[in-house]
Amino acid sequence: MKNVFFPNFAVASVLELGVDRLRAIGAKALLLDVDCTLKEYQKQEPEPEIIQWLRSLEDSGFRLCLLSNGVGRRISRVATALSLPFVAKACKPFPRGVRKATRLLGVEPNETALVGDQIFADILAGNLAGATTILVKPIKPEQERWFTRIKRPPESIVVKSFWKKCPDGGWSGISQN
Ligand SMILES: [Mg+2]
């Protein structure tokens, strides 16, 4: 049985998630955590190469939605700047927000990949909802609020044990061009 704290896959950055890789794992839609996954917590929007990555996925037909525990006003500003739909106050690790986002996009959880940097929020929520989960290394986690930072040491135990079990991030056996 799958460990509910383990992601299906892990990468250093979202930029490693190319179209072929995402198609190979059967993802039609991506639910994207915002802070430390797409952008630094204190920045208003992602770096240009990440915005370019988002556009290239959209151009290839992937449905995208931001999925954040952040408050509506702040996340809606990011979503508007990126022209993407969003679910804020998602209450991750509970799966409710994931289901709301899949309904918004008109997809099923099992054809959805949830991409995020926190085990005890993103990965747990995605696993509980039945989505494919992809862990990314957090961008500048030292900028985050204290109640997120205190979760990092116990998370790092899970992350280390995942990498020990899956040194390739879970990607071996996935055909990628
Ligand atoms: Mg995050």
Side-chain angles (χ1 to χ4, degrees), residues 42-77:
Q42 288 170 1
K43 290 227 165 129
Q44 300 285 329
E45 59 176 78
E47 294 297 311
E49 66 267 27
I50 299 219
I51 297 177
Q52 205 175 8
W53 170 78
L54 292 167
R55 294 286 95 92
S56 76
L57 293 186
E58 282 189 314
D59 291 346
S60 300
F62 289 92
R63 321 276 317 260
L64 308 179
C65 182
L66 303 183
L67 179 73
S68 172
N69 282 357
V71 295
R73 211 175 35 195
R74 187 170 71 84
I75 299 306
S76 88
R77 266 202 301 267

Side-chain angles (χ1 to χ4, degrees), residues 121-158:
D122 306 302
I123 301 308
L124 192 48
N127 285 342
L128 291 174
T132 300
T133 48
I134 306 176
L135 180 73
V136 301
K137 200 165 170 273
I139 307 170
K140 301 237 173 119
E142 65 278 8
Q143 290 183 358
E144 282 180 312
R145 297 145 300 176
W146 67 269
F147 51 85
T148 303
R149 276 184 282 124
I150 55 166
K151 288 189 281 183
R152 294 291 180 194
E155 277 187 344
S156 79
I157 297 169
V158 179

Side-chain angles (χ1 to χ4, degrees), residues 33 35-37 117-118 122 144:
D33 173 51
D35 296 310
C36 299
T37 294
D117 67 291
Q118 284 190 61
D122 306 302
E144 282 180 312

